[in-house]
Amino acid sequence: MAETRHFQLPIVAQEAKEENGNATNQVITELGTVKYKRWICILLCIIFLLCGQSVAALLGRLYFDKGGKSKWLSTLIQFAGFPILVPFYCISRPKMLTANHCSIGSNNQPSIMMLGLVYVTFGLMSAGIGFLYSVGMQYLPISTVTLIAASQLAFNAFFSYFLNSQRFTPFIINSLVLLTISSVLLVFNNNSSRLAGVSQVHCAAGFICTILGTAGSGLLVALQQFALRKLVVRQSFKVVLDLVMCQSLVASSAILVGFFASGDWKGFSGEMDEYGLGKFSYLMVLIWTAICWAVFYIGAVGLVLEVSALFCTAISALGLPIVPIIAVFVFNDKMDGIKVISMVLAIWGFISYVYQQYLDDYMPKTENTGEISELF
């Protein structure tokens, strides 16, 4: 009998070891599947953001280049496309919660009044930022506006440090320094940053408004991340839609007030008649610009929800080479040595930041695998 027990013990131990090994493999497989699905979602958001941003920026410049004059109308079409997002409510579904996506210190959903205050605040901020960018778009080449907007990454990192406990590493600091230098170079490049018929005063106003709009965008994205992770308990694609649509509704309403109060609406009919590409093209430019901005906002808020505000801003900087190069052929923008250097620095800064994201994603994966093995 003792011998029987003696032989059974190794068998039981071996079976327990195999069960533990299978459980470990199952956990690792499930973690891999969740990460795989998450990165598919992130990839879709990146495509939405880059395509929407690039096409909308080019169409926005085309509006002014062919005879458009209303800054209020140019701002309105940045947000007026949100109704096309309504069908997305039919396909939205909750996503798996993670530690990063849970509210801290509260298990209850925020009150409707609190959410309303957040949406109104974000909407008014968006309206102001959009108007500043419209001023810059009217008085500066699109390539210059786009390259200045790259400094949003630096502004966002600064605000995220205080609001979202953003960690600064050597690669992120290197990225921020390069992007800042890239934008500063353009400030001293006055010769190629002047459009025909634009005065020095208007050119300076365009620079100032674009920089202020960029700083405001960095703050807004950081605040969106803060609100999503601190106020909203159950995170889902519907949460993204709610934020985009409510924010766009408030922004559109505020801009409409300015559009009518400024008297710009009186010249709408005449502007359409005198548009260089004709009435139909005038309407198409406005409609498709609005649609592209709506697609951009879905991608942007989705990245803030899935990753971080700083990652969203870094991906936005990835579109830098696209718009300036196309603008050289479409709008005859000058691409001199300063702009080329600025673009190279901006791309370098983006690559530096993406590499840090790779390290952040790879290291926890290896650490978690080791921890799981130790549990068994």
Side-chain angles (χ1 to χ4, degrees), residues 265-296:
W265 64 275
K266 297 177 182 178
F268 177 74
S269 178
E271 182 177 283
M272 183 168 57
D273 293 335
E274 298 172 2
Y275 195 67
L277 300 177
K279 293 182 180 180
F280 179 76
S281 295
Y282 179 83
L283 293 176
M284 287 295 99
V285 167
L286 296 182
I287 291 172
W288 281 106
T289 304
I291 292 174
C292 289
W293 278 123
V295 171
F296 162 79

Side-chain angles (χ1 to χ4, degrees), residues 76-90 240-253 256 286-298:
L76 178 62
I77 58 178
Q78 296 178 33
F79 306 98
F82 69 90
I84 70 167
L85 302 177
V86 173
F88 281 92
Y89 276 103
C90 300
V240 177
L241 287 175
D242 289 341
L243 177 59
V244 172
M245 294 192 68
C246 293
Q247 176 179 305
S248 298
L249 176 62
V250 173
S252 299
S253 301
L256 277 173
L286 296 182
I287 291 172
W288 281 106
T289 304
I291 292 174
C292 289
W293 278 123
V295 171
F296 162 79
Y297 287 124
I298 281 291

Side-chain angles (χ1 to χ4, degrees), residues 94-116:
K95 72 178 187 69
M96 184 176 292
L97 297 179
T98 64
N100 291 333
H101 291 152
C102 295
S103 177
I104 297 177
S106 175
N107 292 322
N108 300 318
Q109 290 285 0
S111 65
I112 296 178
M113 182 175 296
M114 177 62 69
L115 283 177

Side-chain angles (χ1 to χ4, degrees), residues 6 21 40 57 60 98 153 163 186 255 261 278 297 302 308 312 329 353 375:
H6 177 72
I40 290 178
T98 64
L153 187 59
L163 293 173
L186 296 175
I255 296 164
Y297 287 124
S308 70
C312 170
F329 300 99
Y353 178 80
L375 290 175

Side-chain angles (χ1 to χ4, degrees), residues 198-220:
V198 176
S199 66
Q200 184 70 32
V201 174
H202 284 157
C203 185
F207 267 112
I208 294 172
C209 288
T210 304
I211 292 173
L212 290 176
T214 301
S217 295
L219 174 60
L220 177 61

Side-chain angles (χ1 to χ4, degrees), residues 21-284:
N22 293 335
T24 302
N25 293 332
Q26 183 178 357
V27 171
I28 294 175
T29 301
E30 290 177 355
L31 289 175
T33 302
V34 170
K35 181 165 287 189
Y36 175 74
K37 292 180 179 179
R38 175 173 176 265
W39 276 103
I40 290 178
C41 181
I42 291 174
L43 179 60
L44 289 175
C45 289
I46 289 174
I47 293 173
F48 283 176
L49 186 149
L50 291 178
C51 293
Q53 172 185 259
S54 301
V55 177
L58 291 168
L59 289 176
R61 180 58 218 165
L62 182 64
Y63 166 77
F64 287 113
D65 192 66
K66 298 301 179 180
K69 300 175 183 177
S70 175
K71 290 183 283 289
W72 286 105
L73 184 59
S74 174
T75 307
L76 178 62
I77 58 178
Q78 296 178 33
F79 306 98
F82 69 90
I84 70 167
L85 302 177
V86 173
F88 281 92
Y89 276 103
C90 300
I91 62 174
S92 65
R93 61 180 178 82
K95 72 178 187 69
M96 184 176 292
L97 297 179
T98 64
N100 291 333
H101 291 152
C102 295
S103 177
I104 297 177
S106 175
N107 292 322
N108 300 318
Q109 290 285 0
S111 65
I112 296 178
M113 182 175 296
M114 177 62 69
L115 283 177
L117 179 62
V118 169
Y119 293 151
V120 169
T121 301
F122 288 172
L124 294 178
M125 288 182 64
S126 298
I129 292 167
F131 185 81
L132 290 172
Y133 273 129
S134 292
V135 174
M137 196 77 72
Q138 184 175 18
Y139 296 136
L140 296 176
I142 181 62
S143 56
T144 302
V145 173
T146 307
L147 291 172
I148 292 176
S151 61
Q152 179 184 340
L153 187 59
F155 287 112
N156 180 255
F158 173 78
F159 294 120
S160 292
Y161 176 79
F162 294 101
L163 293 173
N164 303 311
S165 302
Q166 175 63 48
R167 189 167 55 92
F168 281 86
T169 66
F171 287 109
I172 287 182
I173 294 174
N174 177 64
S175 174
L176 302 182
V177 171
L178 290 173
L179 288 168
T180 302
I181 295 175
S182 171
S183 298
V184 170
L185 284 176
L186 296 175
V187 176
F188 300 100
N189 191 31
N190 293 326
N191 293 330
S192 65
S193 298
R194 291 271 297 276
L195 293 172
V198 176
S199 66
Q200 184 70 32
V201 174
H202 284 157
C203 185
F207 267 112
I208 294 172
C209 288
T210 304
I211 292 173
L212 290 176
T214 301
S217 295
L219 174 60
L220 177 61
V221 175
L223 286 173
Q224 285 176 337
Q225 179 180 351
F226 179 84
L228 285 170
R229 297 190 175 181
K230 300 295 184 181
L231 298 180
V232 181
V233 177
R234 186 169 180 78
Q235 307 265 323
S236 67
F237 185 63
K238 181 179 178 298
V239 171
V240 177
L241 287 175
D242 289 341
L243 177 59
V244 172
M245 294 192 68
C246 293
Q247 176 179 305
S248 298
L249 176 62
V250 173
S252 299
S253 301
I255 296 164
L256 277 173
V257 172
F259 181 64
F260 286 103
S262 65
D264 273 13
W265 64 275
K266 297 177 182 178
F268 177 74
S269 178
E271 182 177 283
M272 183 168 57
D273 293 335
E274 298 172 2
Y275 195 67
L277 300 177
K279 293 182 180 180
F280 179 76
S281 295
Y282 179 83
L283 293 176
M284 287 295 99

